[in-house]
Amino acid sequence: MTEAAPTLSLTRPDDWHLHLRDGPTLAAVAPDTARRFGRAIVMPNLLPPVTTTAQALAYRERVLAAVPAGLSFEPLMALYLTDETTPAEILRARASGAVAAVKLYPAGATTHSDAGVTDLARTHGALAAMAETGLPLLIHGEVTDPQVDIFDRERVFLERSLLPLIERFPRLKVVLEHVSTREGVARVQDGPERLAATLTPHHLLLSRNAMFAGGLRPHHFCLPVAKREEDRLALVEAATSGHPRFFLGTDSAPHPRRRKESASAPGGIYTAHAAIELYAEVFEQAGALDRLEAFASFHGPDFYGLPRNRERVTLVREPWTVPASLAMGEEELVPFRAGERVAWKLAG
Ligand code: NCD
Ligand code: ZN
């Protein structure tokens, strides 16, 4: 008699940092997320970016149209902060009920961030309105100063920009997105209750060695770049510690294979096809599977002041092989772990 594979039942998780893109890419990738997650914060770095409430509401409809019938998935929209964002736009976003956060990309920090903020001082009016109305600021926390080593960009951002910002706006809720360093983890642990961080599956699973293993590996390149093994261990410790201000945010970011395998590959790793399964691997390896549910399904909604999901999902410990590539409209997408195994599988 063979023993049944172990299973894990969780409150349906949410993804607090996700790139869905638009058009045929959106249609191709949205089902992966909608099958696993109840809600997701949909990043606004489209071309052109989602800078107004009207654009966010229209994008929300396009996302909903890409969700397969029978799945209940709620997109939570984010506005793209620019030097020109007005306090009135923030109030409109809040009043819409559909915008859950505002995203700060320092101009030039990452994919489609050219329209981002050039000088934080120019956003003070918008930030004051956010603090007033309770809309959280989601931060891509890297300086763009070309003098700063790419592996130090998050650390320098913490000192130069994050600390002054938190002090200047004592009521502003802030999420340090895709935290990638042990110093980032420490800042959140030592910071106020209104400061939280999201953790991606790839930063929990890879150190920077993975970008150079046996040759240059563009499918392991994301921003912020993966750091040292000691940083990765600090991220795993934060995720699995039960600390309520660390929660799930995949930063799943699809790019066509032809661009990822070109002479200048954009940052971004696609994990939506196996997102909760990959987190389960991390928690299992850390001997903390009993803490996965709080990290994936409780800490996020608690921080955002939203209700926890009521449905459940089941994971089975049944290894499966990720396809070598996925169709993405006319393009091909190389998913994380392409051609390799993932230990956990989503049931149903
Ligand atoms: C993201 C993308 O491709 O939109 N890329 C990435 O490397 N994470 C942008 C981002 O979140 O930085
Ligand atoms: Zn992102």
Side-chain angles (χ1 to χ4, degrees), residues 17-19 43 45 103 105 140 178 223 251 253:
H17 182 138
L18 175 69
H19 298 270
M43 288 294 140
N45 62 333
K103 179 70 190 261
Y105 291 104
H140 184 109
H178 39 54
L223 293 165
D251 195 18

Side-chain angles (χ1 to χ4, degrees), residues 58-123:
Y59 184 30
R60 181 173 179 276
E61 292 308 314
R62 300 198 294 282
V63 171
L64 284 171
V67 175
L71 293 176
S72 69
F73 170 75
E74 192 190 350
L76 305 172
M77 307 315 289
L79 277 198
Y80 186 114
L81 187 68
T82 74
D83 293 352
E84 273 78 48
T85 307
T86 61
E89 193 59 59
I90 298 296
L91 300 185
R92 263 195 296 279
R94 186 46 141 180
S96 76
V99 176
V102 178
K103 179 70 190 261
L104 163 62
Y105 291 104
T110 186
T111 305
H112 304 167
S113 63
D114 298 349
V117 171
T118 63
D119 177 0
L120 265 177
R122 300 195 181 185
T123 67

Side-chain angles (χ1 to χ4, degrees), residues 152-311:
D152 293 332
R153 287 183 186 177
E154 180 174 295
R155 277 185 274 270
V156 174
F157 184 91
L158 299 172
E159 307 306 321
R160 270 195 206 164
S161 305
L162 185 68
L163 289 181
L165 184 76
I166 282 176
E167 270 168 31
R168 186 173 189 113
F169 297 96
R171 283 164 58 207
L172 183 65
K173 276 190 179 181
V174 172
V175 184
L176 182 61
E177 299 284 40
H178 39 54
V179 62
S180 67
T181 58
R182 66 193 164 119
E183 289 85 352
V185 164
R187 277 283 164 245
V188 173
Q189 281 166 339
D190 301 344
E193 292 285 302
R194 63 197 168 79
L195 174 63
T198 52
L199 287 154
T200 78
H202 45 282
H203 288 99
L204 292 168
L205 288 162
L206 306 179
S207 74
R208 62 194 194 178
N209 281 358
M211 275 187 298
F212 308 100
L216 196 57
R217 301 285 209 105
H219 299 292
H220 288 163
F221 173 54
C222 68
L223 293 165
V225 278
K227 306 295 190 303
R228 291 175 179 274
E229 178 64 5
E230 66 206 49
D231 293 296
R232 188 188 74 82
L233 292 172
L235 304 180
V236 171
E237 161 62 23
T240 59
S241 66
H243 189 296
R245 288 184 283 110
F246 291 96
F247 44 83
L248 187 159
T250 62
D251 195 18
S252 178
H255 289 278
R257 168 178 220 148
R258 119 192 110 72
R259 298 236 28 242
K260 287 293 281 184
E261 297 180 3
S262 72
S264 93
I269 298 180
Y270 186 73
T271 52
H273 63 295
I276 188 65
E277 300 90 321
L278 291 166
Y279 285 106
E281 276 190 11
V282 172
F283 277 69
E284 183 181 33
Q285 278 161 24
L289 268 181
D290 58 327
R291 295 195 172 151
L292 177 62
E293 183 179 40
F295 171 81
S297 317
F298 298 164
H299 297 166
D302 294 356
F303 184 82
Y304 274 82
L306 294 169
R308 295 173 179 181
N309 290 326
R310 297 247 276 272
E311 315 89 78

